[in-house]
């Protein structure tokens, strides 16, 4: 909806006169629906582009987990300068913070006018003004980074909160341990969101940790914890909002466990042969976060089906326009890879034997990776 959300949520009443959960008004509830639907539709468009070999690199989807990223990011306050660090399944959080579909598509297509000008994959980019930091792929590494970011907030006396996303697998890494322990000791204003989606790549939860639930790990670090149904966007918002408020009030770190399910493989190339038969279908038919929320909007808040259809149509138009713009954008110039490496000089010179050999680059060094084929 391209406006600053999630500030001073006005309390609302349901169609039955009861107070709405989370203190969210009708407009804000529709915001949540918009961002979840935008996330899913945008990723579906990216999947189509991937199959047309227009995506350079891998495609990582959040099908079935949209409520986690959207609900948790919505609990931050952009007017105060809150900041988050997403992972590959947190596109929704970036959209809430203000990322636009056209830049996401350009980024996946490695276009010359994409945020990283074709020099980095998928959503590996950041924008400190809009409040998201570019991710490090190694599991758990963003936890110590965000510990440092939020320590700087505390030392400067700023009223800001940081949020870092990790998966259940990342909680078994050394980086996670060191980062959350340091943040806990320093009482950093940090929210650590653990998306428990059942699998660390192809390893089920029971094979990578002996902990029965992720919030049990909070006890060892001496931090607060919250657990919520990650497929209920309002429950996700409520749990994260309490953690954000606690951090802003000086209460330090909170570990928020969101229980959800990953309905796609680690990436599009993953055939999910390790998943028991029927498991994906069961979650899709009985616990889809968007379907669940649409029913709540209808039954508890009197939102007409035509109103949701209008939002869906607007999203389709936005993505269609973004796709056309991205498709028409140029690929990066080879020499652009040498811009911005150092502050001084602003651009490096090509190696002597590469100067003037553009044809060699175009013919022999075309990007080739997962899903991309030389033609």
């Amino acid at each position: 909806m391209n406006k600053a959300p999630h500030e001073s949520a006005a309390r609302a009443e349901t169609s039955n006169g009861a107070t709405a959960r989370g203190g969210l008004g009708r407009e804000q509830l529709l915001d949540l629906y918009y961002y979840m639907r935008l996330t899913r539709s945008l990723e579906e468009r990216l999947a189509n582009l991937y199959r047309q070999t227009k995506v350079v690199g891998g495609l990582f989807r959040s099908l079935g987990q949209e409520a986690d990223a959207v609900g948790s990011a919505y609990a931050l306050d952009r007017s105060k300068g809150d900041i988050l660090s997403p992972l590959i399944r947190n596109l929704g959080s970036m959209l809430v913070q203000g990322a636009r579909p056209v830049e996401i598509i350009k980024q996946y297509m490695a276009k010359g006018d994409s945020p990283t000008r074709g020099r980095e994959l998928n959503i590996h980019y950041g924008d400190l003004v809009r409040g998201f930091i570019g991710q490090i792929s190694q599991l758990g590494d963003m936890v110590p980074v965000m510990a440092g970011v939020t320590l700087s907030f505390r030392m400067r006396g700023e009223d800001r909160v940081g949020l870092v996303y990790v998966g259940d697998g990342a909680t078994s890494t050394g980086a996670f341990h060191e980062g959350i322990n340091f943040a806990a000791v320093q009482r950093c204003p940090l929210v650590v969101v653990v998306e428990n989606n059942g699998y660390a790549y192809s390893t089920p939860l029971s094979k990578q940790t002996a902990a029965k639930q992720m919030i049990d790990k909070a006890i060892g670090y001496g931090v607060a914890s919250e657990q919520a149904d990650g497929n209920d966007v309002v429950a996700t918002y409520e749990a994260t909002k309490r953690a954000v408020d606690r951090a802003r009030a000086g209460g330090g770190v909170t570990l928020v466990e969101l229980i959800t399910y990953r309905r796609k493989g680690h990436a599009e190339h993953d055939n999910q042969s390790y998943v028991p038969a029927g498991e994906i279908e069961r979650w899709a038919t009985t616990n889809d976060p968007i379907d669940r929320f649409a029913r709540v909007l209808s039954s508890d808040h009197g939102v007409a089906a035509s109103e949701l259809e209008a939002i869906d149509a607007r999203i389709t138009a936005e993505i269609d326009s973004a796709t056309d713009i991205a498709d028409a954008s140029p690929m990066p110039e080879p020499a652009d890879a040498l811009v911005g490496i150092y502050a001084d000089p602003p651009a490096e010179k090509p190696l002597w034997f590469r100067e003037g050999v553009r044809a060699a680059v175009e013919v022999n060094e075309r990007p080739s990776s997962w899903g991309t084929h030389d033609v």
Side-chain angles (χ1 to χ4, degrees), residues 19 27 44 52-53 61 76 121 126 129 138 141 165 170 172 178 192 249 274 308 310 313 329 344 346 355 362:
T19 301
E27 184 179 353
E44 288 171 347
Q52 296 170 30
T53 71
R61 296 180 60 183
L76 294 177
L121 297 172
V129 174
Q138 281 72 21
D141 278 10
Y165 293 97
S172 298
E178 294 178 20
V192 180
Y274 47 85
L308 298 184
S329 291
D344 185 19
E355 285 186 304
E362 290 181 338

Side-chain angles (χ1 to χ4, degrees), residues 63-222:
L63 180 63
Q65 299 182 218
E66 295 90 346
D68 290 8
V70 170
S72 54
Y74 208 79
L76 294 177
D77 190 337
R78 277 176 45 195
S79 70
K80 293 182 181 296
D82 291 349
I83 198 163
L84 59 80
S85 67
L87 289 180
I88 51 177
R89 264 172 266 288
N90 302 123
L91 170 61
S93 71
M94 295 173 63
L95 296 171
V96 170
Q97 292 292 86
R100 296 177 297 123
V102 66
E103 65 191 86
I104 300 295
I105 297 174
K106 286 181 178 179
Q107 182 71 11
Y108 264 98
M109 297 174 75
K111 292 300 182 124
D113 56 353
S114 64
T116 61
R117 306 197 304 278
R119 301 193 295 185
E120 181 56 283
L121 297 172
N122 50 71
I123 53 175
H124 285 58
Y125 73 97
D127 186 332
L128 295 179
V129 174
R130 289 182 288 181
F132 52 90
I133 292 179
Q135 59 189 277
I136 301 171
S137 294
Q138 281 72 21
L139 298 182
D141 278 10
M142 290 309 296
V143 180
V145 170
M146 288 303 290
V149 168
T150 51
L151 177 61
S152 76
F153 295 165
R154 203 206 70 191
M155 294 177 69
R156 292 194 295 244
E158 297 176 344
D159 189 27
R160 303 170 69 185
V161 172
L163 184 154
V164 58
Y165 293 97
V166 294
D168 44 273
T171 66
S172 298
T173 67
F176 172 85
H177 165 73
E178 294 178 20
I180 193 171
N181 184 67
F182 181 80
V185 171
Q186 297 294 329
R187 295 189 71 77
C188 296
L190 178 63
V191 178
V192 180
V193 172
V194 180
E195 288 183 277
N196 181 356
N197 65 14
Y199 291 92
Y201 207 126
S202 59
T203 306
L205 184 65
S206 61
K207 299 291 185 183
Q208 62 95 5
T209 179
K212 293 188 180 304
Q213 50 187 359
M214 296 297 105
I215 55 173
D216 290 346
K217 299 192 176 189
I219 299 170
Y221 298 111

Side-chain angles (χ1 to χ4, degrees), residues 15 41 49 56 67 85 135 179 237 242 271 283 313 367:
S15 58
S41 297
L49 293 169
V56 177
S85 67
Q135 59 189 277
Y237 167 81
R242 286 191 293 270
N271 66 10
W283 278 83

